[in-house]
Amino acid sequence: MINRAHDQSPTSTPHVRQLDILVVGAGFAGMYMIYRARELGLRVLAVDRAGDVGGTWYWNRYPGARCDVTSLDYSYSFSEELQQEWRWSEKYATQPEILAYARHVADRFSLREMIEFNTSVTKAHYDEQAARWDITTDGKDRLVAQFLVLATGCLSAANIPEITGISTFGGRVLHTASWPHENVDVSDRRVGVIGTGSSGVQSIPILAEHASHMYVFQRTANYSLPAHNHPFDQNAVEEWKRNYRGYREIAKYSRNGIPMKRPEKSTFDVSDSERTATFEEAYDSGQFARLENTYNDIMTSKAANDLVSDFVRSNIMKKVSDPSVGRKLLPRMPFATKRVCLDTGYFETFNRGNVTLVDVKENPIREITYEGVVAGSNTYEIDDLVFATGFDAMTGAVLRMDIRGRGGQTLTEAWSGGPRTYLGLTTTGFPNCFFITGPGSPSVLSNMMVSIEQHVDWIADLVTFMESRQFASVDAHGKDQEAWVGHVASVARETLYPEADSWYLGANIPGKTRVFMPYVGGVGSYRRRCDEVVRQGYCGFVFDDELYSEPSDPDRIYGEADPANSDGEVQTRDGGEGMRSNG
Ligand code: NAP
């Protein structure tokens, strides 16, 4: 137990459980957090509203759901045995395979005994006297914990748009983010899908194969690249795994958490033919991050981005036989300013006789009736209505809980102008509370597994530090938080990201404050900054109400980051191809 000398928490009763750490969420972040906490000898519990581990992979069971980060990258690196023994079958793993992996990890490391499933946290209030979090769940116990770790996932609070008449619809209503566990048979049914982000792009081709007719309600056309998924050649994987540990080290200091060759040239340093060849090679790799990384100014120069955007648009036009449909499918925002999708046959699906594209920007959805969807002056009669409408991203899941910090201030009040964090890990006024992959960290712009492990390790180190110094509480100093928030915003402003109405900015949720939430400075650069905070004596943190250390070299923390080029100094062993060319 940490810092028993400071322990003034209420006496245990059968209904009050005393913990060192309460972790909210048992996805990949929560699972690794409880693993590390147990290693430290702490009393730890995770709660999850799901019936099993897996987080997003527990809920998103829609047809075609798979990861868009290659499986050998999208997996834990903390255990050499685990990464050597687990066998991924495909370049991009399916949802069932990723869920099976999560379950394997839970079994292999006996994590389930520290998890309470089918339990949601409703309230978490900080008790300043006791330096403890008082937590209420919809279960029967009250929980009191020194630390509250919110491993709630960046994309877990489903967004159901407020459209008049939803409750009157006579058919089945489904959401990709809470897809039923049992098989959903759409054979011979008229299916309507609202939304053409990653979830729509993945599910539409498969649903269309079975539906009698499919209506795709598209508000914003998206960039999508062919995934070129394939089964792995297991001999090649074994060969590749010989340097798994070294590869993971490179990933930690890469730009996106995936080792990739650094782009040294500007888009305009090369001839048109060389540029086209480079774009084609990246496009054919089946990795959207490769195309973003072809030149060092793709995400900072509109003129450079226009070239890659035109290149992708011309490929979309080639896939769609009716040019008038093709033109509607062309994205207009700068490439990659909204999350790029990876697909298998998405654009080709619009060549099918049973698929109709409905442009709801031109003809907005007016209402949903018993029969179907009314858009413009047309009514589209359907049997199954699928919402692929995404999430209240990055802040939705935490703000849905009643979280109160010092002086009873709610997190909703503290973040009324958008999320404010120090390093994406903590927020001032909410001591002993941590976010895993929170706003202000690379999170959704990275391979989540790399970012999750970094955050969990960083939190575990801080908890160990506090134990060694007998500190009961830690809070972010407001001044340092503001410096970090300013740094995150200024790096984002140097890029084209804010130009699109994306969920990165909260633009998909009516009324949500428009703030660019993830840190675009790069995974490696971010990691160095977090490590620098530790090296400078946990500067910017207040322990037991006293500022421990001021930054002695603030430039190394809030100083310039080159969003186009950060972390480029590491190279893959093979110049960027890695395992991707195998299989
Ligand atoms: P999303 O990218 O936010 O897409 C939601 C879609 O619904 C958008 O096309 C949006 O249009 C549309 N929409 C929302 N409200 C609407 C309304 N009232 N009327 C009409 N259309 C509406 O959500 P998502 O597809 O679930 O993906 C979210 C993120 O999850 C992805 O970007 C990705 O990071 C992650 N994800 C990853 C994978 C993978 O690994 N392969 C798969 C799925 C999801 P607007 O664009 O106009 O708002």
Side-chain angles (χ1 to χ4, degrees):
M1 173 66 197
I2 290 180
N3 204 13
R4 287 182 189 284
H6 291 252
D7 187 358
Q8 298 163 27
S9 49
T11 319
S12 280
T13 72
H15 301 294
V16 179
R17 288 170 71 181
Q18 300 287 341
L19 300 165
D20 298 317
I21 304 190
L22 187 274
V23 180
V24 189
F28 285 120
M31 285 166 68
Y32 184 45
M33 189 71 244
I34 58 177
Y35 171 87
R36 285 299 319 270
R38 184 181 57 193
E39 265 191 339
L40 296 176
L42 304 175
R43 295 173 304 175
V44 60
L45 177 75
V47 296
D48 199 301
R49 70 188 167 98
D52 202 353
V53 294
T56 194
W57 302 104
Y58 176 89
W59 295 103
N60 287 263
R61 296 165 183 250
Y62 59 84
R66 19 173 120 242
C67 193
D68 56 9
V69 172
T70 50
S71 50
L72 288 158
D73 291 289
Y74 192 82
S75 47
Y76 286 122
S77 70
F78 70 83
S79 160
E80 179 64 9
E81 294 75 25
L82 172 66
Q83 66 181 6
Q84 289 297 335
E85 75 198 12
W86 182 263
R87 291 184 136 219
W88 293 106
S89 65
E90 293 179 75
K91 173 183 170 190
Y92 293 117
T94 60
Q95 174 271 332
E97 189 170 15
I98 301 170
L99 189 56
Y101 171 74
R103 288 179 171 149
H104 169 74
V105 172
D107 293 337
R108 193 189 189 289
F109 298 103
S110 306
L111 301 180
R112 286 177 206 280
E113 62 205 38
M114 295 176 283
I115 307 172
E116 222 164 80
F117 295 109
N118 303 306
T119 306
S120 299
V121 168
T122 51
K123 285 191 225 171
H125 294 179
Y126 187 65
D127 176 342
E128 289 178 60
Q129 289 299 310
R132 292 287 182 276
W133 283 92
D134 195 337
I135 300 134
T136 309
T137 70
D138 56 5
K140 57 184 184 318
D141 286 345
R142 211 180 103 217
L143 307 168
V144 173
Q146 182 175 8
F147 297 101
L148 175 67
V149 177
L150 301 171
T152 40
C154 294
L155 296 159
S156 52
N159 169 40
I160 302 170
E162 285 180 17
I163 301 175
T164 310
I166 290 185
S167 60
T168 64
F169 180 61
R172 263 190 308 201
V173 178
L174 301 149
H175 196 296
T176 46
S178 54
W179 200 262
H181 286 212
E182 61 277 8
N183 181 38
V184 177
D185 187 4
V186 297
S187 306
D188 302 323
R189 290 171 75 87
R190 297 162 301 175
V191 178
V193 178
I194 301 179
T196 52
S198 299
S199 306
V201 162
Q202 287 187 332
S203 56
I204 285 164
I206 295 175
L207 292 169
E209 280 174 20
H210 302 282
S212 61
H213 200 90
M214 165 164 276
Y215 297 99
V216 176
F217 297 96
Q218 173 192 274
R219 189 164 68 182
T220 306
N222 250 315
Y223 290 97
S224 184
L225 311 181
H228 295 307
N229 190 36
H230 55 70
F232 275 140
D233 168 350
Q234 289 302 334
N235 291 329
V237 172
E238 289 312 312
E239 172 61 29
W240 185 90
K241 276 185 177 179
R242 294 215 176 101
N243 188 30
Y244 219 157
R245 207 190 283 271
Y247 180 85
R248 301 291 205 176
E249 275 308 302
I250 294 170
K252 285 180 184 176
Y253 292 93
S254 65
R255 181 168 173 219
N256 298 325
I258 302 168
M260 205 161 283
K261 195 174 176 187
R262 170 186 186 167
E264 281 165 4
K265 291 181 183 168
S266 151
T267 311
F268 302 102
D269 285 346
V270 298
S271 66
D272 290 355
S273 59
E274 183 183 336
R275 185 187 312 118
T276 304
T278 306
F279 284 166
E280 271 165 7
E281 197 206 337
Y283 184 82
D284 290 340
S285 74
Q287 283 182 282
F288 62 80
R290 283 284 300 282
L291 202 48
E292 230 175 291
N293 270 292
T294 42
Y295 296 102
N296 61 21
D297 47 3
I298 297 279
M299 295 310 295
T300 51
S301 154
K302 180 71 169 56
N305 192 290
D306 282 347
L307 291 173
V308 74
S309 300
D310 284 343
F311 169 82
V312 179
R313 284 192 281 257
S314 71
N315 276 291
I316 294 171
M317 283 306 283
K318 284 182 206 157
K319 293 178 182 184
V320 184
S321 24
D322 179 342
S324 69
V325 175
R327 278 192 292 277
K328 285 186 183 166
L329 289 164
L330 297 183
R332 300 290 166 200
M333 63 279 186
F335 178 74
T337 51
K338 274 191 167 190
R339 170 74 172 222
V340 176
C341 310
L342 281 188
D343 72 273
T344 303
Y346 174 68
F347 295 108
E348 294 83 345
T349 298
F350 295 91
N351 298 332
R352 296 177 67 101
N354 69 333
V355 176
T356 304
L357 178 65
V358 182
D359 182 341
V360 300
K361 204 156 242 169
E362 235 169 52
N363 296 299
I365 297 176
R366 288 200 288 120
E367 62 173 323
I368 291 171
T369 61
Y370 183 82
E371 286 79 23
V373 175
V374 183
S377 53
N378 292 327
T379 298
Y380 299 90
E381 291 187 3
I382 53 182
D383 304 305
D384 294 327
L385 179 55
V386 176
F387 285 96
T389 44
F391 303 88
D392 182 354
M394 303 202 74
T395 57
V398 287
L399 293 179
R400 284 179 190 189
M401 292 175 275
D402 172 13
I403 298 178
R404 290 169 198 243
R406 286 184 198 278
Q409 187 190 33
T410 65
L411 191 58
T412 308
E413 285 160 3
W415 286 7
S416 58
R420 308 191 88 71
T421 67
Y422 185 39
L423 306 172
L425 278 156
T426 60
T427 189
T428 306
F430 297 77
N432 294 4
C433 173
F434 299 104
F435 310 101
I436 299 185
T437 64
S441 73
S443 62
V444 291
L445 294 177
S446 71
N447 172 1
M448 292 300 278
M449 298 300 268
V450 172
S451 292
I452 283 169
E453 289 191 332
Q454 186 230 342
H455 269 189
V456 170
D457 288 338
W458 196 94
I459 294 165
D461 287 349
L462 174 59
V463 167
T464 308
F465 169 81
M466 288 175 68
E467 186 175 35
S468 71
R469 301 288 199 287
Q470 295 278 295
F471 288 135
S473 72
V474 59
D475 197 358
H477 195 282
K479 184 164 64 72
D480 296 272
Q481 172 165 294
E482 288 317 296
W484 182 253
V485 168
H487 172 67
V488 170
S490 82
V491 183
R493 274 196 300 273
E494 288 169 37
T495 72
L496 300 169
Y497 280 105
E499 293 205 5
D501 286 333
S502 68
W503 57 255
Y504 297 140
L505 281 150
N508 62 328
I509 303 296
K512 189 164 174 174
T513 308
R514 197 180 164 105
V515 170
F516 194 82
M517 294 182 281
Y519 178 60
V520 299
V523 160
S525 155
Y526 171 77
R527 178 184 291 267
R528 285 190 205 95
R529 286 161 205 264
C530 290
D531 291 347
E532 190 60 29
V533 165
V534 178
R535 207 186 60 76
Q536 293 185 32
Y538 283 102
C539 57
F541 283 103
V542 175
F543 292 96
D544 291 354
D545 300 327
E546 281 187 32
L547 186 61
Y548 193 67
S549 150
E550 298 232 38
S552 50
D553 188 356
D555 264 3
R556 295 179 69 89
I557 300 162
Y558 318 117
E560 260 179 50
D562 176 354
N565 232 345
S566 50
D567 318 318
E569 53 272 49
V570 286
Q571 303 263 334
T572 53
R573 294 169 295 154
D574 54 3
E577 286 298 319
M579 186 56 213
R580 289 168 196 89
S581 54
N582 292 321

